[in-house]
């Protein structure tokens, strides 16, 4: 139990206490704060606007997650950053819970939590009110729930629950970041099943996941369409198709290898402890392996 409290104290002191210690920065933090402020002032939860101009670059879930803290703390630095920090803490907790479920080792679970939370990139996205922290949470939830579901007996209650959880996580990722929220966990699950040669899972997992996913996504998509008929046209054509097929103005011009150094630097300082996982030259055994 003490390792659980160590993790909680680490999260509170390292993440929550420092949220309001620095001013908000341009452009991302002020942009998201203004969208939430106008959404609340106009009582238009399905019509995001930035300085009265309709803003269709991102789905609405991230803005909705910021509404509750803004009501409690106003649109200040602490209130706007709190949802991202909580999503990051929950992501670390899911990783720790999965390790504990597979190994029943509280110390190892706490170490997994601390290892993840020590990454500079994780800390960076956890202290900014942008979509990265929520989509990381939903992506992790989808991957871990699909992984645990694949280890359960077909049509068991636990498996069905995990598959439903995976579907809701995929829907959350889609309404936070768009197709990325579906593609990243989808590719990860596909690669895992191929690596483990679990060929039957390719038709077992979609039997529940796909219908539940559609049942969650389609009603909300229709509600957004009724509020803003141009949203899906812009979001799909401009933010997805044109963004990846054309060198459109306002998009990121960086080359394909841009994120390689970002990831290498962003995993510091926690990545320096990676050799410990290999026992300093010994045989590595994944804590989640069956």
């Amino acid at each position: 139990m003490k390792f659980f409290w160590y993790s909680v104290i680490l999260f509170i002191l390292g993440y929550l206490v420092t949220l309001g210690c620095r001013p908000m920065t341009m452009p991302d933090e002020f942009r998201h704060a203004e969208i939430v402020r106008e959404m609340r002032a106009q009582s238009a939860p399905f019509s995001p606007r930035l300085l009265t101009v309709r803003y269709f670059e991102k789905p609405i879930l991230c803005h909705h997650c910021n509404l509750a803290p803004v009501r409690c703390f106003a649109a200040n630095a602490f209130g706007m950053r709190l949802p991202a920090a909580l999503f990051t803490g929950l992501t670390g907790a899911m990783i720790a819970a999965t390790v504990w479920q597979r190994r029943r080792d509280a110390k190892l679970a706490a170490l997994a939590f601390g290892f993840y939370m020590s990454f500079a990139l994780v800390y960076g996205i956890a202290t900014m009110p942008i979509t990265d922290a929520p989509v990381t949470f939903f992506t992790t939830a989808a991957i871990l729930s699909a992984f645990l579901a694949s280890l359960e007996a077909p049509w068991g209650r636990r498996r069905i629950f995990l598959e439903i959880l995976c579907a809701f996580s995929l829907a959350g990722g889609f309404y936070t970041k768009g197709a990325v929220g579906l593609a990243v966990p989808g590719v990860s699950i596909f690669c895992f099943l191929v690596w483990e040669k679990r060929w039957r899972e390719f038709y077992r997992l979609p039997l529940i996941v796909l219908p539940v996913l559609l049942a969650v996504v389609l009603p909300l998509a229709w509600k957004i369409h009724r509020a803003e008929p141009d949203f899906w046209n812009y979001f799909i054509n401009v933010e997805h198709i044109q963004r990846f097929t054309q060198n459109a103005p306002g998009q990121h011009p960086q080359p394909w290898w841009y994120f390689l150094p970002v990831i290498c630097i962003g995993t510091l300082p926690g990545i320096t402890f990676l050799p410990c996982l290999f026992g300093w030259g010994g045989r590595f055994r994944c804590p989640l392996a069956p």
Side-chain angles (χ1 to χ4, degrees), residues 117-173:
M117 301 296 284
S118 66
F119 291 166
L121 191 59
V122 172
Y123 183 81
I125 66 174
T127 55
M128 294 185 67
I130 54 180
T131 59
D132 298 74
V135 77
T136 300
F137 166 79
F138 289 119
T139 298
T140 305
I143 293 173
L144 291 181
S145 57
F147 164 73
L148 294 175
S150 68
L151 303 179
E152 298 292 333
W155 305 110
R157 291 183 179 180
R158 183 180 175 86
R159 180 187 176 97
I160 293 175
F161 169 78
L162 289 169
E163 290 175 342
I164 293 175
L165 179 61
C166 178
F168 274 89
S169 301
L170 291 172

Side-chain angles (χ1 to χ4, degrees), residues 44-202:
F46 296 100
S47 300
R49 281 173 166 74
L50 178 62
L51 300 177
T52 71
V53 178
R54 291 181 298 177
Y55 185 84
F56 295 161
E57 185 176 336
K58 295 291 188 295
I60 61 173
L61 185 57
C62 187
H63 306 313
H64 286 183
C65 292
N66 291 329
L67 279 174
V70 165
R71 290 191 178 98
C72 298
F73 305 104
N76 54 27
F78 182 85
M80 287 299 302
R81 293 167 181 160
L82 181 60
L86 294 179
F87 272 119
T88 302
L90 290 173
T91 302
M94 280 193 299
I95 295 173
T98 305
V99 173
W100 184 86
Q101 192 272 339
R102 297 297 300 157
R103 289 287 172 257
R104 290 296 191 270
D105 189 332
K107 183 177 180 180
L108 184 61
L111 287 174
F113 178 85
F115 184 71
Y116 173 75
M117 301 296 284
S118 66
F119 291 166
L121 191 59
V122 172
Y123 183 81
I125 66 174
T127 55
M128 294 185 67
I130 54 180
T131 59
D132 298 74
V135 77
T136 300
F137 166 79
F138 289 119
T139 298
T140 305
I143 293 173
L144 291 181
S145 57
F147 164 73
L148 294 175
S150 68
L151 303 179
E152 298 292 333
W155 305 110
R157 291 183 179 180
R158 183 180 175 86
R159 180 187 176 97
I160 293 175
F161 169 78
L162 289 169
E163 290 175 342
I164 293 175
L165 179 61
C166 178
F168 274 89
S169 301
L170 291 172
F174 175 75
Y175 277 116
T176 303
K177 196 75 170 180
V180 174
L182 300 176
V184 172
V187 171
S188 301
I189 295 169
F190 175 84
C191 292
F192 168 75
L193 295 179
V194 171
W195 179 266
E196 293 290 325
K197 298 180 180 180
R198 298 173 181 265
W199 312 117
R200 293 182 179 179
E201 298 298 333
F202 282 105

Side-chain angles (χ1 to χ4, degrees), residues 118-121 257-272:
S118 66
F119 291 166
L121 191 59
W257 49 263
Y258 169 76
F259 284 104
L260 295 180
V262 172
I263 293 174
C264 293
I265 297 174
T267 53
L268 294 172
I271 198 65
T272 57

Side-chain angles (χ1 to χ4, degrees), residues 198-209:
R198 298 173 181 265
W199 312 117
R200 293 182 179 179
E201 298 298 333
F202 282 105
Y203 68 84
R204 283 177 179 171
L205 279 175
L207 289 177
I208 292 179
V209 173

Side-chain angles (χ1 to χ4, degrees), residues 197-239:
K197 298 180 180 180
R198 298 173 181 265
W199 312 117
R200 293 182 179 179
E201 298 298 333
F202 282 105
Y203 68 84
R204 283 177 179 171
L205 279 175
L207 289 177
I208 292 179
V209 173
L210 187 57
V212 175
L213 175 62
L214 294 176
V216 175
V217 168
L218 293 180
L220 185 56
W222 174 249
K223 196 165 187 177
I224 295 173
H225 174 73
R226 293 188 62 184
E228 293 291 348
D230 294 332
F231 177 84
W232 292 113
N233 177 55
Y234 179 88
F235 185 66
I236 294 175
N237 290 332
V238 177
E239 289 299 319

